């Protein structure tokens, strides 16, 4: 297939693009390189540097025709979204509207979109199914939910084949590609920095949650398992339908359990500090993944230890990330 991957110079987009290239697809990565890395664009993929807010550039990139689009390009920092909501409505909603306009004009009728469990806000029922009410608690979640709804409307009105994949906590690496964010805010890369000695300590944000050990519980999913789901979603997308799937392992781990797993996998010790809760962090987010298992015929295969081992190996091989 001829496929466009927006945000294909970012963490998840690059790893999906790499898989598509490996199976023989003709892949073009479109990325502004605002937060992505040129070195993350997988070998064998074409590259167009463009911002989705530049509609003319997007039209030009899509004009040659594609069988489908995998849309990863987005802003994804919760705190930033609370401080600067306009950035998130522009960067996630307006940018996607441009992409959909250009797709319609070019006759491209298939899209797989990176949505998020942040669309569920503070869910009433955990494990979280796709039927959980969508009530985001920050502008990041609101902007992603707005795109999910745009896709549903476009599917109804114009016959678009659309799938939204709602990611839980993605981790791991797939050499030579890995996770390199600036600033880094995610738990596993931060603990690995502490294990490597480039960070003085790791903080546990909140030790008084109503969870077995008092720290917050999340559902971690290996980026390889996540990537595989995108290939399946691309196949299963049907014209005139918008389907939503939660992508998580279905198992929750507390912050303390993740810290213990890093100690076990890396054999390194490091300082741990207990801090206040981070505002807006729900106690427990775990996916119900029955719909993805049935609808996508997808099964997550990699464990938390695999994610940590792969992320650790990537860090060891690329101590400065992509900037080296
Ligand atoms: N967390 C933590 N210390 C950190 C970073 C994160 O205790 O330095 C916690 C955070 O409060 C949450 C979990 O780890 O409960 C996962 O956070 P992350 O930012 O990786 O992902 P999120 O679940 O917020 O999308």
């Amino acid at each position: 297939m001829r496929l466009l991957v927006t945000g294909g110079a970012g963490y998840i987009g690059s790893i999906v693009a790499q898989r598509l290239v490996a199976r023989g697809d003709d892949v073009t990565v479109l990325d502004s390189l605002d937060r992505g890395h040129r070195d993350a664009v997988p070998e064998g993929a074409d590259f167009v540097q463009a911002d989705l807010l530049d509609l003319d550039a997007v039209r030009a990139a899509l004009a040659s025709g594609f069988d489908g689009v995998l849309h990863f390009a987005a802003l994804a920092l919760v705190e930033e979204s609370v401080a600067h909501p306009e950035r998130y409505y522009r960067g996630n909603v307006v940018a996607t509207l441009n992409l959909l306009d250009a797709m319609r004009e070019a006759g491209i009728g298939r899209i797989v979109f990176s949505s998020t469990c942040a669309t569920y806000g503070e869910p009433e029922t955990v494990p979280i199914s796709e039927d959980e009410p969508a009530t985001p608690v920050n502008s990041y979640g609101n902007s992603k939910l707005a795109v999910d709804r745009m896709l549903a409307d476009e599917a109804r009105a114009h016959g678009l084949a659309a799938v939204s994949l709602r990611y839980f906590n993605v981790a791991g690496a797939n050499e030579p590609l890995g996770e390199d964010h600036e600033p880094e805010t995610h738990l596993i890369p931060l603990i690995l920095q502490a294990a490597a000695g480039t960070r003085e300590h790791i903080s546990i944000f909140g030790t008084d949650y109503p969870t077995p050990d008092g720290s917050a519980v999340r559902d971690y999913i290996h980026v390889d398992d996540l990537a595989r789901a995108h290939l399946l979603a691309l196949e299963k997308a049907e014209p005139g339908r918008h389907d939503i799937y939660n992508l998580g392992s279905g198992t929750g781990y507390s912050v303390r359990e993740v810290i213990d797993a890093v100690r076990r996998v890396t054999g390194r010790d490091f300082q741990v500090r207990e801090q206040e809760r981070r505002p807006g962090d729900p106690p427990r987010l775990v996916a119900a993944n029955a719909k993805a298992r049935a609808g996508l015929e997808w099964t997550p295969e990699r464990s938390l230890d695999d994610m940590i081992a792969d992320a650790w190996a990537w860090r060891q091989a690329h101590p400065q990330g992509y900037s080296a």
Side-chain angles (χ1 to χ4, degrees):
M1 289 175 105
R2 205 154 178 253
L3 298 169
L4 183 81
V5 180
T6 77
Y11 169 42
I12 301 168
S14 64
I15 289 174
V16 172
Q18 181 184 44
R19 267 195 116 98
L20 295 169
V21 170
R23 73 166 194 187
D25 288 315
D26 181 353
V27 176
T28 298
V29 165
L30 183 145
D31 199 295
S32 66
L33 297 185
D34 194 26
R35 299 189 181 187
H37 310 275
R38 180 64 183 87
D39 290 344
V41 177
E43 213 170 301
D46 290 328
F47 177 63
V48 176
Q49 184 172 355
D51 194 311
L52 289 174
L53 291 172
D54 181 351
L55 181 56
D56 289 337
V58 179
R59 282 189 172 124
L62 271 64
S64 57
F66 289 93
D67 301 309
V69 174
L70 295 107
H71 179 33
F72 299 91
L75 300 178
L77 295 173
V78 169
E79 272 188 34
E80 182 191 33
S81 83
V82 175
H84 305 285
E86 63 288 351
R87 271 188 212 166
Y88 278 69
Y89 285 98
R90 194 169 295 110
N92 292 349
V93 183
V94 177
T96 304
L97 185 59
N98 281 349
L99 177 65
L100 291 173
D101 282 343
M103 285 175 64
R104 227 181 295 109
E105 288 165 19
I108 304 168
R110 181 174 296 257
I111 186 167
V112 176
F113 171 62
S114 305
S115 186
T116 168
C117 67
T119 54
Y120 300 114
E122 295 180 12
E124 276 172 22
T125 312
V126 182
I128 305 166
S129 79
E130 293 79 356
D131 297 328
E132 182 68 21
T135 50
V137 291
N138 51 57
S139 304
Y140 169 63
N142 277 326
S143 69
K144 288 284 183 174
L145 180 62
V147 172
D148 286 343
R149 293 190 167 149
M150 277 164 56
L151 294 175
D153 291 345
E154 288 269 328
R156 248 189 312 267
H158 302 302
L160 183 69
V163 177
S164 289
L165 300 176
R166 290 188 171 161
Y167 309 162
F168 281 65
N169 291 58
V170 188
N174 189 334
E175 185 59 27
L177 304 175
E179 185 170 14
D180 179 9
H181 292 120
E182 182 51 43
E184 187 52 75
T185 62
H186 293 113
L187 181 65
I188 290 178
L190 290 174
I191 307 177
L192 293 178
Q193 290 176 8
T198 58
R199 166 175 297 272
E200 201 181 286
H201 67 272
I202 184 72
S203 296
I204 302 178
F205 296 151
T207 53
D208 59 349
Y209 282 106
T211 58
D213 68 21
S215 65
V217 170
R218 294 290 180 273
D219 181 332
Y220 296 87
I221 176 90
H222 196 296
V223 66
D224 272 346
D225 281 328
L226 194 83
R228 205 157 29 80
H230 288 74
L231 276 53
L232 295 166
L234 197 62
E235 262 170 47
K236 304 270 180 190
E238 277 182 44
R241 282 185 62 115
H242 173 237
D243 288 309
I244 296 174
Y245 296 100
N246 288 348
L247 294 182
S249 69
T251 304
Y253 290 97
S254 71
V255 173
R256 290 189 200 278
E257 287 175 316
V258 177
I259 290 172
D260 288 345
V262 171
R263 286 204 172 108
R264 187 170 62 237
V265 170
T266 64
R268 302 276 182 100
D269 201 12
F270 44 86
Q271 257 195 64
V272 176
R273 288 201 195 147
E274 300 188 354
Q275 279 187 216
E276 295 295 293
R277 294 183 183 192
R278 191 170 64 177
D281 273 352
R284 194 161 161 258
L285 297 174
V286 178
N289 61 19
K291 187 177 174 190
R293 285 175 183 270
L296 298 176
E297 296 174 73
W298 171 81
T299 317
E301 290 167 359
R302 314 284 307 278
S303 68
L304 178 65
D305 283 19
D306 292 336
M307 294 172 224
I308 293 169
D310 290 352
W312 180 242
W314 192 78
R315 241 207 94 83
Q316 304 283 89
H318 312 268
Q320 312 298 323
Y322 288 109
S323 63

